[in-house]
Amino acid sequence: EISLSMERDLQNFLLSDLNQIEKGLKLYEGGKEFQIDVGRIDILAQSKNSDFVVIELKAGKAKDDAIGQLLGYMGFVNEKIAKGKKVRGYIIDNDFEERLKYAVKNLPDIKLKAYKVNFSFLDIK
């Protein structure tokens, strides 16, 4: 339940300003938890030049199976929605398995982005 809540909180935080991921990124129509035939895309967006951007959010350490999930979503978007536009993807998590890091080196249209959470505390009384 904690990881599900963190993923939801991360999604809401990113949706408040998708420029945190990439400058000029905008939510595609109905792009929050975008339901497709092969699953549910966490965030479907479009770049400033109208590329489709599939964003997969993870909580905990992302494993290499995240690539298969993302590629499946990207393939569906490419075939059914993009109409010739380029399709790219992001996996966003706070940590990544080494094998995943190596796997994306050969996939130029997929990027990994790590988030960091910082808490600060103020004395109130």
Side-chain angles (χ1 to χ4, degrees):
E1 288 182 28
I2 292 172
S3 64
L4 204 57
S5 176
M6 284 187 62
E7 192 174 309
R8 192 175 328 109
D9 291 342
L10 175 61
Q11 182 185 51
N12 289 331
F13 178 75
L14 292 173
L15 287 170
S16 72
D17 183 12
L18 287 173
N19 286 300
Q20 298 172 90
I21 300 170
E22 178 182 308
K23 194 161 182 69
L25 209 55
K26 299 217 182 299
L27 188 66
Y28 180 70
E29 182 181 322
K32 177 185 177 186
E33 298 182 18
F34 194 82
Q35 189 67 46
I36 57 175
D37 294 348
V38 295
R40 190 190 82 241
I41 299 171
D42 291 325
I43 299 174
L44 181 60
Q46 282 189 286
S47 69
K48 60 184 171 191
N49 59 353
S50 299
D51 290 348
F52 280 84
V53 181
V54 177
I55 302 167
E56 180 60 27
L57 305 175
K58 295 293 181 191
K61 194 175 214 177
K63 299 178 177 149
D64 61 353
D65 61 350
I67 291 257
Q69 183 181 9
L70 182 62
L71 285 172
Y73 295 163
M74 290 171 64
F76 182 92
V77 170
N78 187 51
E79 189 171 309
K80 305 284 187 179
I81 299 171
K83 298 178 182 164
K85 297 286 185 187
K86 186 174 182 176
V87 179
R88 300 182 288 110
Y90 283 98
I91 300 172
I92 300 178
D93 199 343
N94 69 330
D95 196 12
F96 303 91
E97 283 189 348
E98 287 301 308
R99 193 162 58 181
L100 175 58
K101 291 177 189 177
Y102 283 113
V104 298
K105 289 182 183 283
N106 291 310
L107 299 169
D109 291 331
I110 295 179
K111 293 185 179 181
L112 303 179
K113 250 193 204 291
Y115 64 85
K116 300 294 176 206
V117 177
N118 296 315
F119 291 100
S120 61
F121 298 90
L122 303 171
D123 290 331
I124 302 299
K125 181 177 175 187

